[in-house]
Amino acid sequence: MSTATIAPDAPAPTHDPQQDGKGSKHARRFGLPVATALVMGNIIGGGIFLLPASVAPFGTISLLAFGVLTLGAIALALVFGKLARRLPQTGGPYVYARAAFGDFAGFLAAWSYWITAWVSNAALAVAAVGYLDVIVPVHESTLATIAAALAFQWLPGLANLAGTRYVGAVQIVATVLKFVPLILVAVGGLFFFDPDNLGPFQASGGSALGAVSASAAILLFSYLGVESAAVSAGEVRDPRRNVGRATVLGTLGAAAVYLLGTLAVFGTVAHDRLVDSTAPFSDATNIMFGGSWGGAAVAVMAMISILGALNGWTLLSAQAPYAAARDGLFPKAFTVKRRGVPTVGVVVTVALASLLTVYNYTAGTEGVFEILVLVTTFTATVPYLLSTAAQIHFLLSGRPEKVSKARLVRDGVLALAAFGFSIWLVAGSGYAAVYQGVLFLFAGVLVYAAMSARKSRAGAAAGETTAPGADTPAE
C-alpha cells in the first residue's frame, strides 16, 4: 500500500479485520477500565519491587529522573492517543509507521516490538521465580527453577488462548490485587516517613546531570508499556475515544504508584541499608508493621503483579506480528485468530520466551541475559521513534488550512518532545544494548527480504491472472 496517500484527516478504513472472531462468547472487546488496566498492568510489572534499591546509590536525585521519565512517558501517551484516533487498528506502532513511511518502516516497528515483548516476558518470568523462592526454595534445584519459570510464562499464555474475554478478566483481577497492597505501602509508608532516612541528595559523586541520566537508564525498562492500548486498539471498544484516555490514565496511574512507592521506601528504610537491600518493599513493610512477614507478603504481591504483566504482554506480543502478517510482512500463520486472540502469535512468542529462559538457567551466566534485557529497552524505542516521527509526518504533510495554527503548534511540540524523549531512551540503553539491538534489527532485515519477495511474487501472479495477454515477467 502506498503510504503517502494516507492524509492526516483521512478516515480509518471502514473494514476492521480485528473483528474476526468477535462473535464468539470467548471474545469480548475491552472497555475503558480494562484498557486502562492493560496499560497500568504492563507498565508496572515486577520492577516496582526493586526500583527503590536500584536507584538508591544515586541518592534522592533519582526522584528527579522519575519526574523527567514521567513527563516523557505522558508525552508518548498523548501522541499514541492522537495516532489511535487517526488509525484505530490493532498493531499500534506498526500501523502508524507503515501508514507514514511504508512497508519497511512498518516491518521494523513490528519486528522490534515483537523482540521487546518476548524477551521481556522471559525477564519477567525469571523475576517471578526469584520472588517465589522467598516462599518455596525452588532455587535449590535447577530443574525446579526452570519448571517454575515456564509455568509463569505458560499460565498467562493459556489465559490468552482462552480468549480476550479471559484476558480482560485476568488483567482486572491482577491489577486490583497488586495495586491494593502497593498503594497501602506507598501511602502507609508516608506516615512512617523520616527525612533522616533519605540520605544525600546526590550520592554518586559525579555531576547532577550524570546522576540523573544514570538513574534514568535503570528506570527506562519500568516505563515500557505506554503503547499497550494502542497496540490492541482493534480489541478496544470505541478506540478513537478510549485508547487515548486509557493510555493517559494508565500512564498517570503507574507514575503515581512509582513515585509514591519509591518516596515512601526512601523515607522508611535508612539509606545505607536500602542501598544493599534485595527486597526494599519487604524491608519497608517490616519497619511499618513489625515482624518478618513482610517478605512473604511482598513476594506474593510481586508474583501477582508479574503474572498480570505477563498476561498483558503476551497479548501484545501477538498483536504486532498479527497486524504485519495480515499485510504480508510476517508469515501468514500469524494471522490465525481464535476467540479474538492471534493464537499462533501467542504460542510462538511464549515458546521463544521459554527457550530463552531455559538458556538463561542452563548457561550458568547472568551477564548474557542482563544484556538481552537491556536490549529490550533499545528495541522498544524503535517503535516509539517511528510512531512519533509518523505523527510529525502527518502534521507536516496535512492541509494547514483545515487545522488551527494553535492546535498544529501544540501537537507539533508534543510530538517533538516525545521524539526527543525516545532518543534519550536510546542513549540511556548504553552502548552494549544499542550494539546488540542493532544486530537484532539487521536479522529482521533478512526476514523482511524473504517476505517482501514472496509478496512481490504473489502480486506478479495475480497480475498474470488478471491480464492473460500480458508479457511474462522477466526472470
Side-chain angles (χ1 to χ4, degrees), residues 31 35 77 88 127 162 193 217 226 237 266 270 291 293 340 348 365 393 413 418 427 437-438 442 446-447 452 467-468:
F193 192 91
V226 297
R237 286 196 300 271
F266 269 28
W293 54 271
V348 172
T365 175
H393 166 81
V413 170
V438 169
F442 283 174
L446 181 61
V447 176
S452 179

Side-chain angles (χ1 to χ4, degrees), residues 227-246:
E227 72 294 335
S228 302
V231 173
S232 296
E235 278 66 48
V236 178
R237 286 196 300 271
D238 191 7
R240 294 180 184 275
R241 177 184 177 90
N242 286 332
V243 167
R245 290 183 172 186

Side-chain angles (χ1 to χ4, degrees), residues 22 41-44 68 77 162 190 225 228 235 239 243 245 254 274 306 347 385 403 452 462:
K22 77 171 185 177
N42 287 341
I43 293 178
I44 301 181
V68 175
L190 298 179
S228 302
E235 278 66 48
V243 167
R245 290 183 172 186
L274 182 60
I306 293 171
V347 172
L385 283 168
V403 181
S452 179

Side-chain angles (χ1 to χ4, degrees), residues 56-59 61 200-212 214 271:
F58 300 101
I61 196 173
F201 176 70
Q202 184 178 341
S204 60
S207 66
L209 180 60
V212 171
H271 180 264

Side-chain angles (χ1 to χ4, degrees), residues 66-449:
F66 256 127
V68 175
L69 282 169
T70 299
L71 291 176
I74 292 173
L76 272 176
L78 290 170
V79 170
F80 277 120
K82 293 181 179 299
L83 286 168
R85 288 182 63 86
R86 187 187 306 275
L87 296 166
Q89 301 164 265
T90 291
Y94 160 74
V95 173
Y96 314 144
R98 184 171 183 260
F101 309 120
D103 285 352
F104 185 61
F107 173 84
L108 284 181
W111 178 261
S112 56
Y113 193 82
W114 189 46
I115 292 171
T116 301
W118 61 264
V119 176
S120 296
N121 281 3
L124 287 170
V126 171
V129 172
Y131 288 114
L132 177 63
D133 191 65
V134 175
I135 302 172
V136 181
V138 292
H139 280 167
E140 294 179 359
S141 168
T142 301
L143 183 61
T145 301
I146 292 175
L150 295 181
F152 275 112
Q153 290 175 4
W154 282 98
L155 285 174
L158 292 175
N160 273 263
L161 293 176
T164 53
R165 174 180 181 180
Y166 300 100
V167 174
V170 171
Q171 201 65 33
I172 285 289
V173 172
T175 300
V176 171
L177 289 180
K178 74 179 175 182
F179 274 104
V180 168
L182 280 175
I183 292 175
L184 176 64
V185 173
V187 177
L190 298 179
F191 292 96
F192 297 85
F193 192 91
D194 185 350
D196 293 336
N197 290 329
L198 293 176
F201 176 70
Q202 184 178 341
S204 60
S207 66
L209 180 60
V212 171
S213 298
S215 55
I218 296 175
L219 300 171
L220 296 181
F221 187 75
S222 64
Y223 270 91
L224 300 182
V226 297
E227 72 294 335
S228 302
V231 173
S232 296
E235 278 66 48
V236 178
R237 286 196 300 271
D238 191 7
R240 294 180 184 275
R241 177 184 177 90
N242 286 332
V243 167
R245 290 183 172 186
T247 302
V248 174
L249 290 174
T251 302
L252 288 173
V257 173
Y258 276 145
L259 291 170
L260 278 177
T262 303
L263 181 62
V265 173
F266 269 28
T268 305
V269 183
H271 180 264
D272 56 349
R273 179 181 176 184
L274 182 60
V275 169
D276 299 320
S277 175
T278 58
F281 269 77
S282 176
D283 292 338
T285 302
N286 289 338
I287 292 172
M288 290 167 56
F289 302 107
S292 59
W293 54 271
V298 169
V300 172
M301 289 186 282
M303 286 187 287
I304 293 173
S305 175
I306 293 171
L307 278 172
L310 279 167
N311 181 64
W313 274 108
T314 299
L315 175 63
L316 296 183
S317 65
Q319 299 289 20
Y322 168 79
R326 198 183 60 235
D327 295 326
L329 300 180
F330 254 61
K332 187 177 180 180
F334 283 88
T335 62
V336 176
K337 204 170 188 182
R338 298 286 186 274
R339 299 174 175 178
V341 174
T343 52
V344 172
V346 168
V347 172
V348 172
T349 295
V350 178
L352 287 172
S354 298
L355 290 174
L356 183 59
T357 303
V358 172
Y359 170 77
N360 174 61
Y361 283 121
T362 56
T365 175
E366 296 182 358
V368 174
F369 190 78
E370 290 172 354
I371 290 176
L372 289 175
V373 169
L374 286 175
V375 168
T376 65
T377 302
F378 168 74
T379 55
T381 60
V382 174
Y384 292 171
L385 283 168
L386 289 172
S387 296
T388 53
Q391 173 69 348
I392 294 172
H393 166 81
F394 290 141
L395 291 172
L396 295 179
S397 62
R399 297 175 59 185
E401 67 272 15
K402 297 184 66 175
V403 181
S404 68
K405 184 174 294 186
R407 179 181 175 186
L408 188 64
V409 170
R410 182 199 65 191
D411 289 351
V413 170
L414 181 64
L416 287 173
F419 186 86
F421 174 68
S422 300
I423 289 290
W424 188 44
L425 293 181
V426 172
S429 301
Y431 293 108
V434 173
Y435 171 75
Q436 297 287 344
V438 169
L439 294 181
F440 271 104
L441 291 181
F442 283 174
V445 172
L446 181 61
V447 176
Y448 175 79

